[in-house]
Amino acid sequence: MRGIAIKIFLAVAMVAGFVSVASAQGHYIGIRGGAGGSKVRFYPKRESKLLMPNPTFGVVYKYLGGDHYVGGIEVNVNYVEKGYKTLLRVDSDSSLQRKLTAIEVPFMWQPHVWMFKNRGRLFLNAGPYLSYNIKSSNEKLVSKEKGVLKVYDYKLDNLRDNRFEYGLSLGAGYGVTIAGRFELLAEFRYVFGFSDILKNPNKYPASNAQESPIDQMNVTLGLHYLFNKQAVEPRARRRTKE
């Protein structure tokens, strides 16, 4: 089921990108950055809370068409911190916390609607992502009242941990055009993990959960630079000029 979902979104992104690029190409590069939280869906279930704040930042490459709705495609290369916080027991004051550092690459279709005489646009993002965990911080036993109680050494182990992850990235945001060449954007994004960060007990039986996908949510700001301004002007606007 997960594999089918990823194939569908890949196909949609490719088709939408082809239509957008074929009709009118707008080439953007940019940067994005922000923060959010993350949580692991353990099975068997463990009591857990959202771990935050987790910084994220990256670079953007985007094709954007000028027409309504079709939008374009966007690819990010993001540096991401994520992790989880599990309670020692229900309503416990103490929790076990662990953070990962990863490089994530989302491939997204970006439908949009132009607004306010083409100075702004409301957009959605949807598509699969791939991720590679490059390092892990230590696990920490943390108390709300007393702070850090204990630090455990935790290094990524290829026998125990999965370095590669994949899933689905969904987002919504708003962009404002500045001086004709720049776009300032604000976006909320939810990243839904399909793969596990820990290998299942059949591969590593020592205390690993059967399932451990990680979900993230973050709010970011971005600044994109447009190379060819005329290409992304809506067709109706170009006809009016003519």
Side-chain angles (χ1 to χ4, degrees):
M1 187 66 181
R2 294 174 179 175
I4 293 174
I6 289 176
K7 291 178 181 177
I8 291 174
F9 272 95
L10 278 172
V12 171
M14 290 175 65
V15 171
F18 174 80
V19 172
S20 176
V21 173
S23 61
Q25 288 188 359
H27 302 265
Y28 288 81
I29 60 171
I31 56 175
R32 63 187 299 270
S38 60
K39 186 177 180 180
V40 172
R41 289 176 281 117
F42 283 112
Y43 180 80
K45 186 177 179 180
R46 302 179 188 177
E47 293 295 329
S48 60
K49 299 290 184 180
L50 197 67
L51 180 64
M52 59 186 306
N54 299 331
T56 177
F57 56 89
V59 295
V60 178
Y61 186 67
K62 178 172 64 181
Y63 284 103
L64 187 64
D67 299 322
H68 280 290
Y69 313 125
V70 174
I73 57 173
E74 179 174 312
V75 180
N76 303 161
V77 179
N78 297 325
Y79 175 93
V80 177
E81 287 188 10
K82 55 188 176 180
Y84 58 84
K85 176 167 63 175
T86 58
L87 303 181
L88 298 185
R89 59 183 184 279
V90 178
D91 298 326
S92 174
D93 168 73
S94 300
S95 61
L96 187 66
Q97 303 180 13
R98 176 188 166 210
K99 273 194 175 184
L100 291 163
T101 300
I103 301 297
E104 288 187 354
V105 183
F107 302 87
M108 297 172 295
W109 173 39
Q110 190 176 101
H112 67 181
V113 176
W114 290 97
M115 304 174 70
F116 304 112
K117 296 182 179 180
N118 308 305
R119 293 186 179 89
R121 65 187 185 94
L122 185 67
F123 64 89
L124 300 175
N125 272 325
Y129 79 89
L130 300 174
S131 177
Y132 181 77
N133 297 323
I134 56 178
K135 66 178 181 178
S136 176
S137 65
N138 295 331
E139 282 190 334
K140 297 179 181 179
L141 183 61
V142 180
S143 168
K144 289 182 180 179
E145 295 184 359
K146 300 179 181 179
V148 178
L149 300 177
K150 193 172 183 179
V151 177
Y152 302 89
D153 185 35
Y154 195 107
K155 294 182 179 180
L156 287 176
D157 183 342
N158 291 333
L159 296 177
R160 174 189 56 202
D161 306 294
N162 285 319
R163 285 185 177 267
F164 288 97
E165 297 179 49
Y166 60 91
L168 179 63
S169 183
L170 302 172
Y174 188 78
V176 178
T177 300
I178 302 172
R181 290 282 185 179
F182 295 91
E183 186 179 27
L184 180 64
L185 306 96
E187 180 187 2
F188 171 80
R189 191 176 294 183
Y190 193 94
V191 181
F192 187 81
F194 287 166
S195 59
D196 299 320
I197 63 170
L198 298 172
K199 294 188 176 179
N200 63 53
N202 294 330
K203 297 180 179 180
Y204 190 85
S207 74
N208 271 10
Q210 293 181 27
E211 296 180 7
S212 56
I214 189 168
D215 296 341
Q216 306 168 63
M217 57 186 73
N218 56 62
V219 176
T220 60
L221 293 176
L223 183 63
H224 300 172
Y225 175 77
L226 172 63
F227 282 95
N228 48 336
K229 177 181 176 181
Q230 187 177 359
V232 294
E233 292 180 342
R235 288 177 178 176
R237 187 176 177 184
R238 293 204 298 270
R239 286 198 298 268
T240 300
K241 287 185 175 182
E242 293 173 357

